[in-house]
Amino acid sequence: MIKVAVSGINAVDNPGPGLGIIKGLRQGKIPVAPIGLAYDAMEPGIYLDHLVERAYLMPYPSEGEAPFLNRLLYIKEKEGLEVVIPALDAELPLFIDLESRLSAYGIKSFLPTKEQFRLRAKDRLQEVARRIGIKIPQTLAVTSIKELEEALSELSFPVMIKGLFYKALKAYTPAEAQQYFYSIAAEWGYPVLVQEVVEGEEVNVVGVGDGEGGHFGLLAIKKLWITSLGKIWTGVTITHSGLLKAAEDFVRAYAWRGAFELEVIAQDEDLYLVEINPRFPAWIYFAVGVGINLPERLLAAALGQEPERSWDYPAGKLYIRFTDDLVTELEVFQHMVTRGER
Amino acid sequence: MKLNRLAISEEGFIFDPETGNSYTVNETGLKVLKALRAGQSPSEIAEALSEEFEISVPEALRDVEEFLESLKRFRLWEES
Amino acid sequence: MKKPYQKPTIVKLQIGTLREQKSALAQRVRFEIDGVPVKDLLQKFGSPLFVFSEKRLREQFRYAKRLFETHYPRVEFSWSYKTNYLDAICRIFHQEGATAEVVSEFEYEKARRLGVPGEKIIFNGPYKPRTILKKAVEEGARIHVDSMDEILDLEEIAKELERKISIGIRLNLDTGIYPRWDRFGFNLESGEALQVVQRIAAGGQLEIVGLHCHQGTFILEPAAYGRAAEKLLGFAQKLEEAFGWTIEYLDLGGGFPSRNRLKGLYLPPEVAVPPLSEYAESIAKALLSNLNSRDYPLLILESGRALVDEAGFLITTVQAVKRLPDGRRAYVLDAGVNLLFTAFWYHFRVDLGEEVLGPPEPSVLYGPLCMNIDVVEEAVNLPPLSRGVPLVLSPVGAYNVTQWMQFITYRPRVILITEKGEAEVIREAETLEDLVRLERVPAHLR
Ligand SMILES: Cc1ncc(COP(=O)(O)O)c(C=O)c1O
């Protein structure tokens, strides 16, 4: 049994990828005992013991590296933790920074490098897109209302107003654009990005890079139905050759290591890169379901084994997310609160 | 008394079956809560704390009163 | 033997706050600074108390110096007085070989008083009064001009002294850093800098021997320094070709971050703040790959914060315990934003000066001022504290003991823990006499 810790087990209306990853691991050939890492005692995954064998509360990454490391070492001591698969944006920089130290303690992972992680900044997209031969929506970095006005005069409404790492709001009027500029600047700082809205199909590709320019499989999809929070509810597999080639070029150009997702808009023959996520997306189970068990392959890579690389999949497979209910005892909650684990 | 309705675990987890609220208490908090439930006065509780722990009676009394303030804020205690 | 006591507490459980808290709390105690117990320091010197560590100051300076010298052959560190101009602190840096970087008459005079010769002083800043400017010229200081008016002043001084004056000029440039500090010096990209230089050359009284820029403070992007170095070097080469001057040095200013927690940054400083080595690499790479067989210009760094911040601590004491109407726990400390000007921008690390048991709760830390803005921390997770518990705030070594204000109360002692582990006062606590000494009462009010 490989003891593998997975975070992002917050399967709520804006779900983390954790449970999808765990379902993939459980369906793989490597026997696993999944350990859930949670940032709140109410994260649903804690209560799903058919998926999550043991659950531990974590300190926030913002509270410092030492508490975080100590907590992982405690879990290692209690559970014999061997691998960790982090799945949340906020914790990734810590795991990346700690990777070699954790590895020295016998906790393996398979993550992008610091330099690769930095590519997700919106002001780096241009350079990435150019290198892999696709476009990006025209994007202007602004730091003042004056620059915002100049940018707006070059673009036509609606426009996207975006933070460097997080948050994207669609503005239909100059007043809205200004309001979003202020709110994003206040929350995420400067520069704020003003981006043209490109009409087209929103398509995504997920994969795991091998760190040497190759990969352990790719899957491209189109989201058919998204929730009001912008989260996928149904989707379908596609075999858009341009998109898959762009993903392969991306992996090759940067020797990407670990999980990634590219968010792209396809407009006829043109592809526009909108976002790079240096981790699995919440719909990662889709890949498992069509026979490309990326979580398992990532686990194998972390363990130093040679994962499978085949990634034939049919277009037209459907993904349906659904809600479920569970009734359980307050006791689990009590244990999480008083002991921090169950 | 409202305290009587609370489900109190030895781990310091408190559940209020009427409101659905949960609370945690630490070791001394648990002692104070139980003593209040048993009808002891703040000064009796302070003395008991001072017996058992490294603390003077006046300091303990101030802390018990602060604890009572918290209970009031959570609407678990009303002035009799 | 009685058991160790914890204040009795009851905490209502609220979804969204139920993370693991003990690991972080376990890290949050600091019984001593460089081996000297916090308790002893308070007993001997009172509360609040600023504490500096000589060991940390010297180690950090040596580390930075060695680091840059292994990347580039000619480096000079110039101690940024504004960051911390206590005599003892300046002397430590000067002993380690730093020159002085000053931005005002007061700082210039303070550096001279400490025995720093003129030629080891860099004189920056947007306003240099005429008399001190002339004195600095006479004493051979490196003057970095900020405006056209200052150039006119210097040309006059050159005439008075009947000699040519060597100067540096401050440039502002686009290195991708926001906000851009473009009010200082002359803009490079717009062509303003070149025009000014032409004007200087035409005047014939001044000659440019150095280029200076300072992008801002707490800059988290090492690559920005590479861009600055490249642009300065390019401009230097242009000037040398066009006017036959020799640009002896490039001064990249300060701005390297300390491991402090800038507000608005989510990640802890261990992760968010790039190591100094990345800055050194970025600068050295830009210089070495663009030199074109030219001699190595001297690289000057005016790093302040990165050298002194983490060597400074403030010990303060809980003076009152409160519950706010919204239920939050709050403490009144004997030190507030009067002493901690940088609290407006940074979340300090808050360590307990003695062990306190009990469950942590988000708490507000207020200072002693009668103003609503006197907040040291909005929400720091602390166990239940009683009156008298000491807290150790850090890092506070940069800008606080210069920007602190004397408002309604006295400023406290500052001590230095020497390398031998002895605590020495380096600034006495203010007294009523100190504060009223400069006041005069007109006769009719006596
Ligand atoms: C001209 C100049 N040099 C150096 C510094 C020191 O900056 P830091 O403390 O960020 O290194 C400053 C700070 O404002 C400055 O204005």
Side-chain angles (χ1 to χ4, degrees), chain A residues 39-42 57-67 70-71 90 93-94 97 118 143 190-191 333 337-338, chain C residues 13-24 27-28 178 180 261 264 266-268 270-271 274-275 278 381:
Chain A
Y39 292 95
D40 193 280
M42 270 288 164
L57 286 182
M58 293 293 293
Y60 284 160
S62 61
E63 283 166 302
E65 215 167 48
N70 287 349
R71 186 66 176 163
L94 246 77
D97 204 55
R118 286 192 191 128
T143 60
Y190 296 105
F333 178 63
V337 169
T338 54
Chain C
L13 298 178
Q14 269 155 338
I15 308 311
T17 60
L18 306 175
R19 64 181 182 284
E20 204 274 334
Q21 306 198 327
K22 293 191 193 84
S23 316
Q27 309 288 322
R28 279 252 173 82
Y178 306 100
R180 215 172 282 158
R261 183 189 288 269
Y266 176 76
L267 289 170
E270 306 90 280
V271 184
E278 288 186 23
N381 242 11

Short mmCIF file of all heavy atoms in Angstrom, two decimals, chain A residues 39-42 57-67 70-71 90 93-94 97 118 143 190-191 333 337-338, chain C residues 13-24 27-28 178 180 261 264 266-268 270-271 274-275 278 381:
data_model
loop_
_atom_site.label_atom_id
_atom_site.label_comp_id
_atom_site.label_asym_id
_atom_site.label_seq_id
_atom_site.Cartn_x
_atom_site.Cartn_y
_atom_site.Cartn_z
N TYR A 39 -8.00 21.94 4.72
CA TYR A 39 -7.73 23.23 5.35
C TYR A 39 -8.92 23.70 6.18
O TYR A 39 -8.92 24.81 6.70
CB TYR A 39 -7.36 24.27 4.28
CG TYR A 39 -6.03 23.95 3.66
CD1 TYR A 39 -5.93 23.24 2.48
CD2 TYR A 39 -4.85 24.33 4.30
CE1 TYR A 39 -4.71 22.92 1.93
CE2 TYR A 39 -3.62 24.01 3.76
CZ TYR A 39 -3.55 23.31 2.57
OH TYR A 39 -2.33 22.98 2.05
N ASP A 40 -9.93 22.85 6.28
CA ASP A 40 -11.06 23.17 7.15
C ASP A 40 -11.73 21.85 7.54
O ASP A 40 -11.82 20.93 6.72
CB ASP A 40 -12.06 24.07 6.43
CG ASP A 40 -13.07 24.67 7.41
OD1 ASP A 40 -14.03 23.98 7.80
OD2 ASP A 40 -12.86 25.82 7.81
N ALA A 41 -12.19 21.78 8.78
CA ALA A 41 -12.78 20.55 9.29
C ALA A 41 -14.08 20.19 8.57
O ALA A 41 -14.62 19.11 8.77
CB ALA A 41 -13.03 20.66 10.80
N MET A 42 -14.59 21.08 7.75
CA MET A 42 -15.84 20.82 7.06
C MET A 42 -15.64 20.40 5.59
O MET A 42 -16.61 20.25 4.86
CB MET A 42 -16.75 22.06 7.10
CG MET A 42 -17.67 22.08 8.29
SD MET A 42 -18.98 20.85 8.11
CE MET A 42 -19.58 20.73 9.78
N LEU A 57 -6.01 17.80 9.16
CA LEU A 57 -6.09 19.25 8.93
C LEU A 57 -4.68 19.79 8.77
O LEU A 57 -3.74 19.32 9.39
CB LEU A 57 -6.75 19.95 10.12
CG LEU A 57 -8.27 19.80 10.26
CD1 LEU A 57 -8.73 20.60 11.47
CD2 LEU A 57 -8.97 20.28 9.00
N MET A 58 -4.56 20.79 7.91
CA MET A 58 -3.26 21.42 7.66
C MET A 58 -3.30 22.87 8.12
O MET A 58 -4.35 23.51 8.10
CB MET A 58 -2.97 21.43 6.15
CG MET A 58 -2.75 20.06 5.54
SD MET A 58 -1.24 19.29 6.15
CE MET A 58 0.02 20.38 5.44
N PRO A 59 -2.14 23.43 8.51
CA PRO A 59 -2.08 24.88 8.72
C PRO A 59 -2.11 25.57 7.36
O PRO A 59 -1.76 24.95 6.35
CB PRO A 59 -0.74 25.10 9.40
CG PRO A 59 0.10 23.93 9.00
CD PRO A 59 -0.84 22.78 8.74
N TYR A 60 -2.51 26.81 7.32
CA TYR A 60 -2.50 27.53 6.05
C TYR A 60 -1.07 27.71 5.56
O TYR A 60 -0.16 27.95 6.37
CB TYR A 60 -3.10 28.93 6.22
CG TYR A 60 -4.60 28.98 6.34
CD1 TYR A 60 -5.22 30.08 6.91
CD2 TYR A 60 -5.40 27.94 5.89
CE1 TYR A 60 -6.60 30.14 7.03
CE2 TYR A 60 -6.77 27.99 6.00
CZ TYR A 60 -7.38 29.09 6.57
OH TYR A 60 -8.72 29.16 6.69
N PRO A 61 -0.87 27.63 4.25
CA PRO A 61 0.47 27.91 3.71
C PRO A 61 0.98 29.28 4.15
O PRO A 61 2.17 29.47 4.37
CB PRO A 61 0.25 27.89 2.19
CG PRO A 61 -0.98 27.07 1.99
CD PRO A 61 -1.84 27.28 3.20
N SER A 62 0.06 30.22 4.31
CA SER A 62 0.48 31.58 4.67
C SER A 62 1.09 31.64 6.06
O SER A 62 1.73 32.61 6.41
CB SER A 62 -0.71 32.52 4.60
OG SER A 62 -1.69 32.11 5.52
N GLU A 63 0.88 30.61 6.87
CA GLU A 63 1.39 30.67 8.24
C GLU A 63 2.86 30.32 8.34
O GLU A 63 3.44 30.37 9.43
CB GLU A 63 0.54 29.79 9.15
CG GLU A 63 -0.76 30.48 9.47
CD GLU A 63 -1.81 29.57 10.09
OE1 GLU A 63 -2.19 28.56 9.48
OE2 GLU A 63 -2.26 29.89 11.18
N GLY A 64 3.46 29.99 7.21
CA GLY A 64 4.90 29.77 7.23
C GLY A 64 5.27 28.37 6.80
O GLY A 64 4.46 27.44 6.84
N GLU A 65 6.53 28.27 6.39
CA GLU A 65 6.99 27.01 5.85
C GLU A 65 7.24 25.98 6.95
O GLU A 65 6.93 24.80 6.78
CB GLU A 65 8.30 27.27 5.08
CG GLU A 65 8.46 26.42 3.88
CD GLU A 65 9.59 26.93 3.00
OE1 GLU A 65 10.68 27.23 3.51
OE2 GLU A 65 9.36 27.04 1.80
N ALA A 66 7.74 26.44 8.08
CA ALA A 66 8.10 25.50 9.14
C ALA A 66 6.87 24.75 9.69
O ALA A 66 6.91 23.52 9.80
CB ALA A 66 8.85 26.23 10.25
N PRO A 67 5.79 25.46 10.02
CA PRO A 67 4.61 24.74 10.51
C PRO A 67 4.09 23.74 9.48
O PRO A 67 3.68 22.62 9.83
CB PRO A 67 3.56 25.83 10.73
CG PRO A 67 4.30 27.10 10.81
CD PRO A 67 5.57 26.91 10.05
N ASN A 70 6.43 20.78 9.35
CA ASN A 70 6.28 19.98 10.57
C ASN A 70 5.02 19.13 10.54
O ASN A 70 5.01 17.99 10.98
CB ASN A 70 6.25 20.87 11.81
CG ASN A 70 7.63 21.43 12.10
OD1 ASN A 70 8.61 20.99 11.52
ND2 ASN A 70 7.70 22.41 12.99
N ARG A 71 3.98 19.73 10.01
CA ARG A 71 2.71 19.00 9.94
C ARG A 71 2.85 17.79 9.00
O ARG A 71 2.40 16.70 9.32
CB ARG A 71 1.61 19.94 9.46
CG ARG A 71 0.22 19.33 9.47
CD ARG A 71 -0.25 19.03 10.88
NE ARG A 71 -1.62 18.53 10.88
CZ ARG A 71 -2.17 17.89 11.90
NH1 ARG A 71 -1.46 17.69 13.01
NH2 ARG A 71 -3.40 17.48 11.85
N ALA A 90 -2.74 27.79 -3.95
CA ALA A 90 -2.13 28.53 -2.85
C ALA A 90 -1.01 27.76 -2.17
O ALA A 90 -0.10 28.34 -1.60
CB ALA A 90 -3.20 28.89 -1.82
N PRO A 93 3.40 26.77 -4.25
CA PRO A 93 4.75 27.34 -4.07
C PRO A 93 5.47 26.74 -2.87
O PRO A 93 6.68 26.53 -2.91
CB PRO A 93 4.46 28.83 -3.84
CG PRO A 93 3.13 29.07 -4.46
CD PRO A 93 2.36 27.79 -4.29
N LEU A 94 4.73 26.43 -1.81
CA LEU A 94 5.37 25.84 -0.64
C LEU A 94 5.87 24.43 -0.95
O LEU A 94 7.00 24.07 -0.61
CB LEU A 94 4.37 25.77 0.52
CG LEU A 94 4.74 26.66 1.68
CD1 LEU A 94 4.39 28.08 1.30
CD2 LEU A 94 4.00 26.29 2.94
N ASP A 97 8.88 24.62 -3.11
CA ASP A 97 10.05 25.03 -2.34
C ASP A 97 10.55 23.91 -1.43
O ASP A 97 11.74 23.76 -1.20
CB ASP A 97 9.70 26.27 -1.52
CG ASP A 97 10.91 27.09 -1.17
OD1 ASP A 97 11.63 27.46 -2.12
OD2 ASP A 97 11.15 27.35 0.03
N ARG A 118 6.37 29.86 -12.39
CA ARG A 118 6.24 31.30 -12.65
C ARG A 118 5.57 31.59 -14.00
O ARG A 118 5.07 32.68 -14.21
CB ARG A 118 7.60 31.98 -12.63
CG ARG A 118 8.15 32.12 -11.23
CD ARG A 118 9.35 33.06 -11.21
NE ARG A 118 10.00 32.95 -9.91
CZ ARG A 118 11.29 32.71 -9.74
NH1 ARG A 118 12.08 32.61 -10.79
NH2 ARG A 118 11.80 32.60 -8.54
N THR A 143 -1.44 50.17 -14.78
CA THR A 143 -1.20 50.41 -13.36
C THR A 143 -1.86 51.69 -12.88
O THR A 143 -1.66 52.10 -11.76
CB THR A 143 0.32 50.53 -13.09
OG1 THR A 143 0.80 51.62 -13.87
CG2 THR A 143 1.05 49.27 -13.47
N TYR A 190 -0.73 45.33 -8.49
CA TYR A 190 -0.47 45.72 -9.88
C TYR A 190 0.53 44.78 -10.52
O TYR A 190 1.32 44.17 -9.81
CB TYR A 190 0.07 47.15 -9.91
CG TYR A 190 -0.91 48.16 -9.42
CD1 TYR A 190 -0.76 48.73 -8.16
CD2 TYR A 190 -1.99 48.52 -10.20
CE1 TYR A 190 -1.68 49.67 -7.69
CE2 TYR A 190 -2.91 49.46 -9.75
CZ TYR A 190 -2.75 50.03 -8.49
OH TYR A 190 -3.67 50.94 -8.05
N PRO A 191 0.58 44.71 -11.83
CA PRO A 191 -0.31 45.37 -12.77
C PRO A 191 -1.65 44.65 -12.86
O PRO A 191 -1.75 43.48 -12.53
CB PRO A 191 0.43 45.27 -14.10
CG PRO A 191 1.22 44.01 -13.97
CD PRO A 191 1.62 43.93 -12.53
N PHE A 333 -16.54 15.17 12.78
CA PHE A 333 -16.30 16.62 12.90
C PHE A 333 -15.62 16.92 14.24
O PHE A 333 -14.63 17.65 14.30
CB PHE A 333 -17.63 17.36 12.78
CG PHE A 333 -17.52 18.85 12.94
CD1 PHE A 333 -16.78 19.62 12.05
CD2 PHE A 333 -18.15 19.50 14.00
CE1 PHE A 333 -16.68 20.99 12.20
CE2 PHE A 333 -18.06 20.88 14.15
CZ PHE A 333 -17.32 21.62 13.25
N VAL A 337 -11.95 18.62 14.80
CA VAL A 337 -11.80 19.87 15.53
C VAL A 337 -10.87 19.71 16.73
O VAL A 337 -10.00 20.53 16.98
CB VAL A 337 -13.17 20.41 15.98
CG1 VAL A 337 -13.01 21.54 16.96
CG2 VAL A 337 -13.98 20.85 14.78
N THR A 338 -11.06 18.63 17.47
CA THR A 338 -10.27 18.50 18.71
C THR A 338 -8.91 17.87 18.45
O THR A 338 -7.94 18.23 19.10
CB THR A 338 -11.03 17.67 19.76
OG1 THR A 338 -11.38 16.42 19.18
CG2 THR A 338 -12.28 18.39 20.22
N LEU C 13 -17.22 27.32 17.03
CA LEU C 13 -16.65 26.79 15.80
C LEU C 13 -17.34 27.42 14.59
O LEU C 13 -18.57 27.38 14.48
CB LEU C 13 -16.80 25.28 15.76
CG LEU C 13 -16.05 24.58 16.89
CD1 LEU C 13 -16.26 23.09 16.83
CD2 LEU C 13 -14.55 24.90 16.81
N GLN C 14 -16.55 27.97 13.73
CA GLN C 14 -17.10 28.60 12.54
C GLN C 14 -16.45 28.03 11.30
O GLN C 14 -15.23 28.00 11.19
CB GLN C 14 -16.90 30.12 12.60
CG GLN C 14 -18.08 30.78 13.25
CD GLN C 14 -17.74 32.11 13.88
OE1 GLN C 14 -16.57 32.38 14.20
NE2 GLN C 14 -18.74 32.93 14.07
N ILE C 15 -17.29 27.59 10.38
CA ILE C 15 -16.78 26.97 9.16
C ILE C 15 -15.92 28.00 8.42
O ILE C 15 -16.27 29.17 8.34
CB ILE C 15 -17.94 26.52 8.26
CG1 ILE C 15 -18.91 25.66 9.06
CG2 ILE C 15 -17.43 25.79 7.03
CD1 ILE C 15 -18.27 24.55 9.85
N GLY C 16 -14.82 27.53 7.90
CA GLY C 16 -13.94 28.44 7.18
C GLY C 16 -12.75 28.85 8.03
O GLY C 16 -11.81 29.47 7.55
N THR C 17 -12.80 28.52 9.32
CA THR C 17 -11.65 28.88 10.18
C THR C 17 -11.09 27.64 10.85
O THR C 17 -10.24 27.74 11.73
CB THR C 17 -12.07 29.86 11.28
OG1 THR C 17 -13.08 29.22 12.07
CG2 THR C 17 -12.65 31.13 10.70
N LEU C 18 -11.58 26.46 10.44
CA LEU C 18 -11.21 25.26 11.19
C LEU C 18 -10.03 24.56 10.56
O LEU C 18 -10.10 23.42 10.14
CB LEU C 18 -12.42 24.33 11.27
CG LEU C 18 -13.67 25.00 11.85
CD1 LEU C 18 -14.86 24.06 11.79
CD2 LEU C 18 -13.41 25.45 13.28
N ARG C 19 -8.91 25.25 10.51
CA ARG C 19 -7.70 24.64 10.00
C ARG C 19 -6.88 24.13 11.17
O ARG C 19 -7.27 24.28 12.32
CB ARG C 19 -6.89 25.67 9.22
CG ARG C 19 -6.40 26.80 10.10
CD ARG C 19 -5.61 27.79 9.27
NE ARG C 19 -5.08 28.87 10.08
CZ ARG C 19 -5.78 29.89 10.54
NH1 ARG C 19 -7.06 29.95 10.32
NH2 ARG C 19 -5.20 30.85 11.24
N GLU C 20 -5.73 23.57 10.86
CA GLU C 20 -4.86 23.09 11.91
C GLU C 20 -4.10 24.30 12.46
O GLU C 20 -3.56 25.09 11.70
CB GLU C 20 -3.90 22.05 11.32
CG GLU C 20 -3.34 21.10 12.33
CD GLU C 20 -2.11 21.65 13.01
OE1 GLU C 20 -1.42 22.50 12.40
OE2 GLU C 20 -1.83 21.23 14.13
N GLN C 21 -4.06 24.44 13.75
CA GLN C 21 -3.48 25.66 14.31
C GLN C 21 -2.28 25.42 15.22
O GLN C 21 -1.50 26.32 15.47
CB GLN C 21 -4.54 26.41 15.11
CG GLN C 21 -5.78 26.66 14.27
CD GLN C 21 -6.66 27.73 14.84
OE1 GLN C 21 -6.73 27.88 16.05
NE2 GLN C 21 -7.31 28.48 13.98
N LYS C 22 -2.15 24.21 15.70
CA LYS C 22 -1.10 23.99 16.70
C LYS C 22 0.30 24.09 16.11
O LYS C 22 1.20 24.61 16.74
CB LYS C 22 -1.29 22.63 17.37
CG LYS C 22 -2.56 22.57 18.22
CD LYS C 22 -2.60 21.32 19.08
CE LYS C 22 -3.97 21.10 19.68
NZ LYS C 22 -4.90 20.40 18.77
N SER C 23 0.48 23.59 14.89
CA SER C 23 1.83 23.59 14.30
C SER C 23 2.38 25.00 14.20
O SER C 23 3.54 25.24 14.49
CB SER C 23 1.83 22.99 12.90
OG SER C 23 1.07 21.84 12.85
N ALA C 24 1.50 25.93 13.78
CA ALA C 24 1.97 27.31 13.63
C ALA C 24 2.27 27.91 15.00
O ALA C 24 3.24 28.63 15.18
CB ALA C 24 0.94 28.14 12.89
N GLN C 27 5.58 27.28 16.81
CA GLN C 27 6.75 28.01 16.33
C GLN C 27 6.82 29.40 16.94
O GLN C 27 7.78 30.12 16.75
CB GLN C 27 6.65 28.21 14.81
CG GLN C 27 6.39 26.96 14.04
CD GLN C 27 7.59 26.07 14.00
OE1 GLN C 27 8.70 26.56 13.90
NE2 GLN C 27 7.39 24.78 14.10
N ARG C 28 5.78 29.80 17.60
CA ARG C 28 5.61 31.20 17.93
C ARG C 28 6.11 31.59 19.31
O ARG C 28 5.47 32.36 19.99
CB ARG C 28 4.11 31.53 17.88
CG ARG C 28 3.59 31.78 16.52
CD ARG C 28 3.29 33.27 16.33
NE ARG C 28 2.92 33.54 14.95
CZ ARG C 28 1.69 33.33 14.48
NH1 ARG C 28 0.73 32.92 15.27
NH2 ARG C 28 1.44 33.59 13.23
N TYR C 178 6.26 48.11 -10.46
CA TYR C 178 5.20 49.05 -10.12
C TYR C 178 5.15 49.22 -8.62
O TYR C 178 5.33 48.26 -7.92
CB TYR C 178 3.85 48.53 -10.61
CG TYR C 178 3.84 48.18 -12.06
CD1 TYR C 178 3.99 46.86 -12.47
CD2 TYR C 178 3.72 49.17 -13.02
CE1 TYR C 178 3.98 46.54 -13.82
CE2 TYR C 178 3.71 48.84 -14.37
CZ TYR C 178 3.85 47.52 -14.76
OH TYR C 178 3.85 47.20 -16.09
N ARG C 180 6.15 52.87 -10.40
CA ARG C 180 7.44 53.34 -10.90
C ARG C 180 7.83 54.59 -10.13
O ARG C 180 7.04 55.52 -10.02
CB ARG C 180 7.31 53.65 -12.38
CG ARG C 180 8.54 53.35 -13.16
CD ARG C 180 8.28 53.50 -14.64
NE ARG C 180 7.58 52.36 -15.20
CZ ARG C 180 6.88 52.42 -16.33
NH1 ARG C 180 6.78 53.54 -17.00
NH2 ARG C 180 6.27 51.35 -16.79
N ARG C 261 6.83 40.16 5.95
CA ARG C 261 5.61 39.75 5.26
C ARG C 261 4.85 40.98 4.80
O ARG C 261 4.14 41.61 5.57
CB ARG C 261 4.75 38.92 6.21
CG ARG C 261 3.50 38.37 5.56
CD ARG C 261 2.61 37.77 6.60
NE ARG C 261 3.16 36.52 7.09
CZ ARG C 261 2.85 35.34 6.57
NH1 ARG C 261 2.02 35.27 5.58
NH2 ARG C 261 3.37 34.26 7.07
N GLY C 264 -0.83 41.90 1.82
CA GLY C 264 -1.35 41.61 0.49
C GLY C 264 -0.65 40.43 -0.17
O GLY C 264 -1.11 39.93 -1.18
N TYR C 266 0.15 36.64 -0.04
CA TYR C 266 -0.41 35.51 0.69
C TYR C 266 0.67 34.58 1.24
O TYR C 266 0.61 34.13 2.37
CB TYR C 266 -1.36 34.73 -0.21
CG TYR C 266 -1.90 33.50 0.47
CD1 TYR C 266 -2.89 33.62 1.44
CD2 TYR C 266 -1.37 32.24 0.21
CE1 TYR C 266 -3.37 32.50 2.10
CE2 TYR C 266 -1.84 31.12 0.87
CZ TYR C 266 -2.84 31.26 1.81
OH TYR C 266 -3.29 30.15 2.48
N LEU C 267 1.66 34.33 0.40
CA LEU C 267 2.64 33.32 0.80
C LEU C 267 3.58 33.84 1.88
O LEU C 267 3.87 35.02 1.95
CB LEU C 267 3.46 32.90 -0.42
CG LEU C 267 2.68 32.06 -1.42
CD1 LEU C 267 3.47 31.89 -2.70
CD2 LEU C 267 2.34 30.71 -0.82
N PRO C 268 4.08 32.94 2.72
CA PRO C 268 5.01 33.36 3.76
C PRO C 268 6.31 33.83 3.12
O PRO C 268 6.66 33.39 2.02
CB PRO C 268 5.23 32.11 4.59
CG PRO C 268 4.93 30.98 3.66
CD PRO C 268 3.85 31.48 2.75
N GLU C 270 9.32 33.09 3.52
CA GLU C 270 10.30 32.05 3.17
C GLU C 270 10.12 31.66 1.71
O GLU C 270 11.07 31.24 1.04
CB GLU C 270 10.10 30.77 4.00
CG GLU C 270 10.09 30.93 5.49
CD GLU C 270 8.68 31.18 6.00
OE1 GLU C 270 8.25 32.35 5.90
OE2 GLU C 270 8.02 30.26 6.48
N VAL C 271 8.89 31.74 1.22
CA VAL C 271 8.61 31.33 -0.15
C VAL C 271 8.47 32.53 -1.09
O VAL C 271 8.91 32.50 -2.22
CB VAL C 271 7.32 30.48 -0.20
CG1 VAL C 271 7.08 29.96 -1.60
CG2 VAL C 271 7.41 29.34 0.79
N PRO C 274 12.42 36.12 -2.89
CA PRO C 274 13.52 35.39 -3.54
C PRO C 274 14.82 35.59 -2.75
O PRO C 274 15.02 36.63 -2.14
CB PRO C 274 13.65 36.09 -4.91
CG PRO C 274 12.42 36.91 -5.07
CD PRO C 274 11.92 37.23 -3.70
N PRO C 275 15.68 34.58 -2.76
CA PRO C 275 16.95 34.74 -2.05
C PRO C 275 17.82 35.80 -2.71
O PRO C 275 17.73 36.03 -3.92
CB PRO C 275 17.60 33.36 -2.15
CG PRO C 275 16.92 32.69 -3.30
CD PRO C 275 15.55 33.28 -3.39
N GLU C 278 19.63 35.37 -6.08
CA GLU C 278 18.99 35.57 -7.40
C GLU C 278 19.20 37.00 -7.90
O GLU C 278 19.30 37.24 -9.10
CB GLU C 278 17.49 35.25 -7.33
CG GLU C 278 17.22 33.76 -7.19
CD GLU C 278 15.74 33.41 -7.29
OE1 GLU C 278 14.96 34.20 -7.88
OE2 GLU C 278 15.37 32.36 -6.75
N ASN C 381 -3.10 34.96 15.25
CA ASN C 381 -3.56 33.85 16.05
C ASN C 381 -2.74 33.71 17.32
O ASN C 381 -1.56 33.40 17.25
CB ASN C 381 -3.40 32.57 15.21
CG ASN C 381 -4.71 31.91 14.95
OD1 ASN C 381 -5.77 32.49 15.22
ND2 ASN C 381 -4.67 30.71 14.45
#
